[in-house]
Amino acid sequence: MSLTTQSAVTRRLVVSPGGVPSASSPVRATTAAVSAVLRAFGRSPADLPPRTVVYVGATAPDPALLPEHEGFAVRTAASPGRALRLAHQELHDGTADFAMVAAFGEPAEGAITVYAVRRAAEAVADAENVLGLLGVDHPDGSDPFAPVALRPLRYGRRDPEPHTDRLLLWSGDSPEEEERVRGELAALLDSAGPGAFASLPSVWPCGRPSGAVRAAAVGSAETLPRSLRKARTVRGGRPRPVALLLPGQGSQHTGMGRGLYGRHPVFSSAVDAVLAHWGEEGDRIRADWLSDGEPAIPVDDVRRAQPLLFAMDYALAKVVLSWGVRPVALLGHSAGELVAATLSGVVPLADAVSMVRARVRAAVRIPAGGMLAVAAEEGRLRPYLRGDVGIAAVNANQQVMLAGSADELQRTGERLRADGFTVVTVPATSPFHSPAMAPASDEVERDYLGLSFREPALPLYSGYTGHLMTAEDAHSARFWARQITDTVYFRDALEELLAADDVLLVEAGPRQTLTAFARRHRAVRIGASAALALSPARAGDPEAERGALLAAAARLWEEGHELDDAALADLWHWTGPGREAAVPAASAPVTA
């Protein structure tokens, strides 16, 4: 069974809430008890996902218990097992994103066992500690009220093949100590041979605080000793905080991310979590993406470009977060701004995917169009705009994108080339960020009116205003809808971000489009800030995608960031065949 169809328990706590009968008496499912459930894990209800549901499993719930409490839906069931099954079904149906399941009277009278339940793929994408998967399947005719077993989540893991590149990080408190540690590692690799390749930890020395003098090496069993000796030494200071860049339309390419899918648990689960919200269409998107032959719909078509770009950006960002890196700012370009909104908590994943679906549904009704990248300033191009051709994006001082319907855009491109401008066609089949998309903008606004938005929990720089996103814009369905037609001022948003602090810009998405723009900025050219990408600049060998991710992790380490060594090991220890299987435990199951 796929992880996308399973629910995971990520936390479990036994509580005896105040204001209800003592442990020697049965606990009734009262409003006071439900309040205790909402706060069971030390979180304020305001911090819970908007579509949180509380399931009460009790033989005698209070008849006065209302279907809503503190703004959250409350449902009752005749037993804890039944409550867990219903919560799983609601998560699977997509009507809730998080469930608090309260088993009243368990493990003893007077206590409540509270389970935090999420979709399994989303929990793994968030690098949460999964206690187990709900074993909700039961043969026809069996008791649906029976206890539910928790099965362990097990991934396929293996020792890295000798020819597979892996990452090795080490440090010392001084140059002399770093040199000594490097010597120890070199001697270990030389004497033990390929066998040591698999057993070496990600970070050396183990179990000690990392020093300020650092180095990193990437290589196979054969090349790692040489890479280790040649690795540069970096003296770290205060690491520059990370700001994530999320690219949009035009960055997509055939096969993007295939070198990581099935080979990295967080990346793979994040992609699966996104595509699961597309329903049956998600299976078709995945099939086209992974196809070795001609896909049914090419990747540049809006029906594939938009969902896959969202999935790639989201999955790569989740990989960085799994390493223990916490960004201080987010900046998305075009469709990437919706990924940034998801990461910052403006919208939950399910709603963000529904927004992408609405954009795609509306865009396919617009006559074919496209985009052009022109090496010129915005002001020089305005006299060339005709019909529905508009300024789609201002990415840098000499890098502007135009968009419009196919015929008008072709004529504009011909005039520009005739006048000596450098013009490059951007892979796109829809005229996003042009007046041609106005009918689509009006259509999606009607869809967005039913969604609940929140203020960003992380600073989010908007390419549509060039500034930090305000609470007013974040809550506005019109703001999100007009992104289909409005110009993206990436240059201005990046300018404001880099004026706030010196940062390490990390591009989480295919190619290195935004990294190239960022490297033109003066703050990056003088070295105050820096930019790196998680993906190769060009499409090619899937192994290059793993190599780019390894190199990015090494760069973050050299910068001075502390990285989760277990998460890093997934870059070379993990393999796909066992990814979707949840193997039953050999020991007695935990029941609820």
Side-chain angles (χ1 to χ4, degrees):
M1 181 183 290
S2 168
L3 278 184
T4 58
T5 63
Q6 298 193 61
S7 299
V9 174
T10 59
R11 279 161 289 172
R12 180 175 55 198
L13 182 67
V14 178
V15 297
S16 295
V20 297
S22 67
S24 61
S25 305
V27 178
R28 301 262 336 253
T30 62
T31 55
V34 174
S35 293
V37 169
L38 286 168
R39 293 162 177 79
F41 300 104
R43 297 170 64 180
S44 164
D47 296 328
L48 295 172
R51 297 199 306 173
T52 292
V53 60
V54 178
Y55 266 93
V56 172
T59 55
D62 189 340
L65 192 63
L66 298 176
E68 184 176 299
H69 182 66
E70 296 192 58
F72 298 101
V74 177
R75 320 219 196 282
T76 59
S79 73
R82 180 63 173 163
L84 283 165
R85 285 185 172 87
L86 292 173
H88 161 77
Q89 190 61 50
E90 187 156 0
L91 290 169
H92 180 63
D93 291 344
T95 56
D97 295 319
F98 183 66
M100 306 276 279
V101 180
F104 281 75
E106 292 194 1
E109 290 186 351
I112 307 171
T113 298
V114 183
Y115 298 85
V117 188
R118 299 187 60 191
R119 299 180 189 94
E122 292 175 18
V124 175
D126 284 341
E128 285 202 56
N129 180 29
V130 175
L131 300 181
L133 302 180
L134 290 180
V136 295
D137 300 323
H138 53 81
D140 291 342
S142 67
D143 181 8
F145 298 93
V148 174
L150 291 187
R151 302 180 300 179
L153 172 66
R154 292 183 181 173
Y155 283 110
R157 291 183 67 89
R158 66 180 180 191
D159 289 337
E161 301 289 344
H163 64 275
T164 302
D165 282 352
R166 60 156 292 170
L167 179 65
L168 188 59
L169 310 173
W170 67 95
S171 68
D173 292 329
S174 65
E176 294 76 18
E177 185 177 0
E178 182 278 324
E179 185 175 357
R180 178 184 60 76
V181 172
R182 186 191 303 240
E184 291 176 355
L185 286 170
L188 180 60
L189 288 171
D190 289 341
S191 63
F197 184 70
S199 60
L200 279 175
S202 308
V203 181
W204 188 272
C206 288
R208 287 173 49 187
S210 301
V213 182
R214 300 184 171 197
V218 175
S220 63
E222 180 181 356
T223 64
L224 192 58
R226 183 168 61 254
S227 298
L228 181 143
R229 291 183 173 90
K230 292 183 176 180
R232 65 171 185 164
T233 301
V234 177
R235 180 181 289 275
R238 181 183 72 88
R240 287 170 290 196
V242 166
L244 288 180
L245 303 179
L246 295 311
Q249 187 81 36
S251 297
Q252 77 280 353
H253 62 79
T254 299
M256 58 182 177
R258 287 177 58 176
L260 302 175
Y261 188 74
R263 302 185 67 175
H264 190 285
V266 169
F267 180 90
S268 305
S269 297
V271 171
D272 286 345
V274 171
L275 296 184
H277 287 297
W278 284 82
E280 292 182 359
E281 181 63 14
D283 294 334
R284 291 188 283 271
I285 292 169
R286 185 187 290 103
D288 277 346
W289 172 46
L290 300 178
S291 173
D292 290 326
E294 191 70 22
I297 299 176
V299 71
D300 292 335
D301 189 293
V302 65
R303 292 170 292 174
R304 293 295 176 264
Q306 292 279 311
L308 285 174
L309 273 172
F310 184 97
M312 293 301 103
D313 289 8
Y314 180 76
L316 284 169
K318 286 295 185 181
V319 170
V320 174
L321 295 176
S322 76
W323 294 342
V325 175
R326 295 294 174 261
V328 296
L330 302 165
L331 170 55
H333 189 292
S334 184
E337 185 156 316
L338 194 49
V339 181
T342 309
L343 296 171
S344 66
V346 174
V347 286
L349 178 63
D351 286 353
V353 172
S354 75
M355 293 172 75
V356 178
R357 293 183 70 168
R359 290 170 68 151
V360 171
R361 188 168 55 245
V364 296
R365 299 191 182 102
I366 302 297
M371 297 181 177
L372 299 175
V374 187
E377 293 181 351
E378 178 185 1
R380 293 188 63 194
L381 298 180
R382 291 206 172 274
Y384 290 87
L385 304 182
R386 297 286 188 275
D388 59 17
V389 176
I391 302 291
V394 179
N395 295 319
N397 289 332
Q398 294 290 329
Q399 184 60 62
V400 173
M401 290 175 62
L402 306 181
S405 57
D407 291 342
E408 288 284 2
L409 192 66
Q410 181 180 353
R411 286 191 285 270
T412 300
E414 289 170 352
R415 289 195 298 270
L416 288 166
R417 291 185 180 97
D419 288 349
F421 289 91
T422 300
V423 181
V424 177
T425 300
V426 176
T429 60
S430 297
F432 280 105
H433 314 302
S434 79
M437 295 294 291
S441 177
D442 294 338
E443 181 179 336
V444 301
E445 183 178 3
R446 291 190 290 271
D447 289 319
Y448 293 176
L449 288 173
L451 301 177
S452 297
F453 300 98
R454 291 183 172 183
E455 187 174 352
L458 285 172
L460 197 167
Y461 290 82
S462 173
Y464 297 94
T465 64
H467 305 291
L468 271 173
M469 185 177 292
T470 64
E472 181 181 3
D473 282 342
H475 285 92
S476 168
R478 181 60 192 154
F479 171 79
W480 294 105
R482 69 181 175 83
Q483 294 190 359
I484 294 177
T485 57
D486 285 10
T487 302
V488 179
Y489 285 98
F490 177 80
R491 176 196 62 190
D492 297 352
L494 181 65
E495 180 72 35
E496 185 162 306
L497 191 164
L498 293 178
D501 197 2
D502 296 335
V503 297
L504 181 61
L505 299 164
V506 177
E507 182 173 3
R511 300 193 194 272
Q512 300 181 5
T513 307
L514 301 187
T515 303
F517 296 149
R519 285 172 177 162
R520 300 180 185 182
H521 194 281
R522 183 176 181 275
V524 177
R525 294 201 312 271
I526 66 174
S529 291
L532 66 93
L534 300 179
S535 298
R538 295 178 178 83
D541 182 2
E543 285 301 314
E545 293 184 313
R546 287 188 64 254
L549 209 55
L550 289 168
R555 179 69 184 84
L556 286 163
W557 164 260
E558 292 171 343
E559 178 77 16
H561 289 277
E562 299 300 325
L563 305 180
D564 185 291
D565 56 349
L568 289 178
D570 285 329
L571 290 170
W572 57 87
H573 271 292
W574 192 73
T575 185
R579 177 173 62 86
E580 294 183 338
V583 183
S587 58
V590 178
T591 59

